[in-house]
Amino acid sequence: MSKFKVEVLSFEHIQELPGSWEKNDLANLLEAMDYQNPNEIKEAELKEMCLMSLTDFEPEEAAKIVLDYTIAGRLTEGQIQNLSHEILTEKLWEEYPELALHPDLYRSTQLLYEAFNGKFPRVEAVQFTIQISGDISIFNENPEAPIVRILAAGMSDRSLIHRLFSEQIESSHFEEAKDIIWQLKQVSQSETSVTYEIVSSSYWLDEIKYADSYEAETHADATDDEDSK
């Protein structure tokens, strides 16, 4: 297990995830609503047109259209139909049991909240930058697990990460880490430090805003070769 110095360089709450609704996404969603020639709409007007078109439907119908686009193929038609009702009142990006769907449930809710002036739950995510100093080779492959462990070290034992994943933090397998970190971007790297920009749900990582700087130990997940020994 390696020891590192960790500094939280910036932290902010955000509503819309970076890159979550690009031009093609909005055009495809308009096509799903039978809008003619969405590619002819000026890019600056695409989102507003998409929001207006969604409000032509009842909230549950609009939710079904959006969910069909964001999570199609990963759930059954019946499951998506159920979610189109639950999304009106439930924070599905926090509560749905399949963590891998959380980012898409988040961006679905965010767009619907914006279209229907708050009829859907209000979303909140976190975007922050951390600098990690030490033997950074541990982050060369599958960095999410050691990063989540290092973030957990900067949060209290009462935090959700510790309460739900204490075993994974200590063990050599933390499969859920890649779904806790929604976006991971390496900003810079030197021989002894690396800086990451991280996006996740406030549900998981909001408490890191109190950390400032600290020292922590972390370790990578075991590889398949190590497991077979």
Side-chain angles (χ1 to χ4, degrees):
M1 188 173 289
S2 303
K3 180 169 282 189
F4 298 87
K5 180 181 179 182
V6 185
E7 294 182 79
V8 180
L9 303 179
S10 66
F11 181 97
E12 64 177 326
H13 291 107
I14 59 174
Q15 267 67 57
E16 185 169 343
L17 302 180
S20 60
W21 290 106
E22 301 285 7
K23 176 182 177 181
N24 286 343
D25 294 310
L26 297 169
N28 290 337
L29 203 53
L30 282 166
E31 281 189 352
M33 292 184 277
D34 295 325
Y35 191 96
Q36 299 298 313
N37 303 316
N39 291 320
E40 295 178 3
I41 303 172
K42 294 179 181 178
E43 187 170 352
E45 299 172 0
L46 256 178
K47 186 175 182 181
E48 188 61 33
M49 185 60 68
C50 192
L51 295 175
M52 289 174 58
S53 296
L54 284 169
T55 59
D56 288 338
F57 298 87
E58 291 298 316
E60 293 88 349
E61 295 173 318
K64 177 69 163 53
I65 291 167
V66 174
L67 290 169
D68 274 338
Y69 178 71
T70 57
I71 58 176
R74 288 180 285 170
L75 293 177
T76 66
E77 180 70 17
Q79 288 173 316
I80 293 176
Q81 186 67 50
N82 289 338
L83 288 182
S84 69
H85 295 280
E86 294 173 12
I87 199 172
L88 271 163
T89 56
E90 304 296 325
K91 294 183 177 182
L92 295 177
W93 70 93
E94 297 178 357
E95 299 167 4
Y96 197 70
E98 292 188 39
L99 269 61
L101 294 179
H102 284 192
D104 283 323
L105 291 170
Y106 181 101
R107 70 181 181 123
S108 300
T109 310
Q110 176 264 315
L111 192 72
L112 291 162
Y113 176 89
E114 199 170 342
F116 286 89
N117 294 316
K119 189 177 287 288
F120 290 79
R122 182 179 183 275
V123 297
E124 185 176 76
V126 295
Q127 183 174 28
F128 59 94
T129 307
I130 59 165
Q131 183 180 73
I132 305 171
S133 302
D135 180 7
I136 59 172
S137 61
I138 194 174
F139 305 110
N140 287 347
E141 294 184 23
N142 303 316
E144 289 86 357
I147 289 174
V148 172
R149 290 185 178 105
I150 222 167
L151 292 172
M155 296 187 280
S156 74
D157 292 340
R158 299 184 302 277
S159 68
L160 196 63
I161 292 285
H162 281 285
R163 287 190 281 119
L164 294 184
F165 301 113
S166 59
E167 183 177 332
Q168 290 90 330
I169 289 170
E170 298 298 328
S171 75
S172 58
H173 292 283
F174 198 166
E175 290 291 328
E176 297 87 352
K178 67 182 185 300
D179 296 320
I180 291 170
I181 293 180
W182 290 355
Q183 296 182 18
L184 179 65
K185 176 184 176 183
Q186 183 177 303
V187 177
S188 63
Q189 180 177 334
S190 68
E191 289 186 5
T192 58
S193 71
V194 60
T195 300
Y196 290 109
E197 182 180 84
I198 295 170
V199 174
S200 181
S201 171
S202 296
Y203 183 67
W204 295 123
L205 298 180
D206 187 66
E207 195 180 317
I208 199 65
K209 66 187 177 187
Y210 302 117
D212 194 19
S213 64
Y214 58 97
E215 290 189 350
E217 293 182 337
T218 190
H219 59 278
D221 274 3
T223 64
D224 292 339
D225 289 340
E226 290 170 331
D227 282 338
S228 62
K229 290 180 181 178

